[in-house]
Every structure is written in structure tokens, then in C-alpha cells.
Amino acid sequence: MRLELKIYTMICGTLCCAAILFWALATFVWCAEFDNYEQGVALENLAKLKTMISLQPEEIEKKLNDYSKWDDVYRFVQDRNHEFEKSNLLYDVLKSINIDFMIFINNKHQVVWAGALDHEATSFMAVPAPLLDLLTTNKSIYDFPDPTKKKSGFLYLGFDTPFMITIHPVLPSSGKGEVKGLFVAGRILSQQFLQRMQMISKLQLHALYSPSVGGEPPLPADTYDQFKESIYLQGQDKLYYEGKVLFKDLFGRPVFVLETKLSKNLSDSIQRISKNFSLTLFLLTIFLCSFFVGILHFWVFRPLRKF
């Protein structure tokens, strides 16, 4: 009887150990691998979002490169000739190149001409005064070690949304000579722009802004330690990751953060499969233990007792 009990115990123990091993692999190894894979995909999507939006000011820069190396502009920032203004600084012209404002500044840091597009009235309106103040008083904006280089990036001055802005030194058409001023243009980071980014990235985006000059960062200061290459990802709950993408302004300071949620579709599915697998494994272990014990009892040990 003792031998029979030992054999039963050994069979059931072996099956239970095998079941626990498979359960541990499924729960702690396979699920973790899938979670790491999905986390990598989420980080990749955030990196693509950052690259896509970061390139927007550079696209404006490329579109307007001809303005900064044009003899007519070179002359305009010096004498403000009205012929250039009448023929080139028109609402339809600026709208056709998809910008929201354009500014010309001379070497004395004086605004020669500035205009912002009022899309509702289809005419020009005044450029916000804080932007003009920044462009005419901030000396670092005029620091161009290489006159052929431009400055492009983001600015936020406390209005509804930040600007995508590009700043060009004004040179002759040859691209050589003395810089006579600055040509500035940009686009508002409007809600329509964010909606377009949402459609392209297929992510729901929420923006937090911080003024470029003064003001607090869009997130608590200690939060920025968690960003790696301006991207921050954490598992908010079992269904979503919380992702944040940090953007800096022309001066290298945090200017706005885009928040989004990324669903854990794969991890959630694997978790459900793992639970079903665990239940199935538990029932299968009970069945196999009963089956082998029954076989040994009725087909081996019971006949032996007759002898």
C-alpha cells in the first residue's frame, strides 16, 4: 500500500510541477516578452510623432529660403520701397505658401514690415506685440556665426497656441555679403494642425504649453528627468500606456508637451490568453492525475492484490 501511495504521489507531483513550470513560463516570460515588444512599438510611434512635428519648422524654412537671398528683399529691409510691398506682400501670396505671419527687421532691430493673416477676414492683421518685442530685443536671435544658416523651431508667448517659426539673415541673391536684417516667418500650431497630426499618426493628442520667455514649464520640473530623448512612456493601467513627447523652443527650453494614450491591444490579448491557458492547464492537470491514478489503480495494483 505504501508503494502504491508513493507512486500516486510521484505521478501527481510530476504533473503538478510540469503544470507550474508551464504556467510560470506563460505568465512571467512569454507575457513579459510580448509586453516589451508592445512597449517598443509604442516608443517607436512616439519617436515618429516627434520627428514628424519637429520637421515642420524646417519645411517652412525650405519653402521660404528664396526670400532671405533675394536682392529685392535685401533692398526692402534697407529702404522699405513700396513697390516690393505692393507686389509681394499680399494676403493671397502669403496664403499660397501656407504661412500665418511674415516679418522683416532691419539691422537697427526695427520692424520694417509685419503682417499676420486673418483667415476669416481674408486680410492682414497686426502681429502680436510680444512676438515683435522678442524679435527686436532678444540679442541671441541676431547671433548668426554662419550667415548662410537659419534658425527654426517653436515659440510660445502665452497665446492660444505656439508658433512654428523660421528666422533667416537677409543676404543678396548671391548668398554672399553683409547681413542687412532678418526675415521671419511662421505658422501657428493650430488645432487644425494637431488634428492633421492625429490623422497621420492615428493617435489622440493633447497639448500642454509653456511660455518661451519666463513662465513655468508645461510639466513639473522633476518630471523632465524621466524623459529620454524627449520621450516619456509609462504603463498607466492594464489597457493603456501614457506617452509624452517633449518639444523645446529656439532657446532650448521646454515649450510644449504632447500627451497621448497608446492602447495595449496585444498585451491585453496575451493576458486574456494567459488566464485561459492557466485555467485549462489546471483542469488538464487534475484530469491527467485522475486518469493515471485510475489506470494504475484498476489495471495494475488492484489485479496484484488478488495474488
Side-chain angles (χ1 to χ4, degrees), residues 228-247:
K228 184 178 181 181
E229 296 182 357
S230 301
I231 293 174
Y232 172 52
L233 183 71
Q234 68 176 10
Q236 187 180 25
D237 52 39
K238 293 182 178 180
L239 299 177
Y240 294 97
Y241 289 112
E242 181 185 13
K244 293 183 174 71
V245 182
L246 171 68
F247 295 88

Side-chain angles (χ1 to χ4, degrees), residues 61 64-65 68 144 150-151 166-170 181-184:
E61 176 187 309
L64 302 173
N65 191 47
S68 61
F144 283 92
K150 295 91 179 175
K151 294 180 180 179
T166 179
I167 304 173
H168 300 230
V170 176
L182 295 181
F183 163 67
V184 182

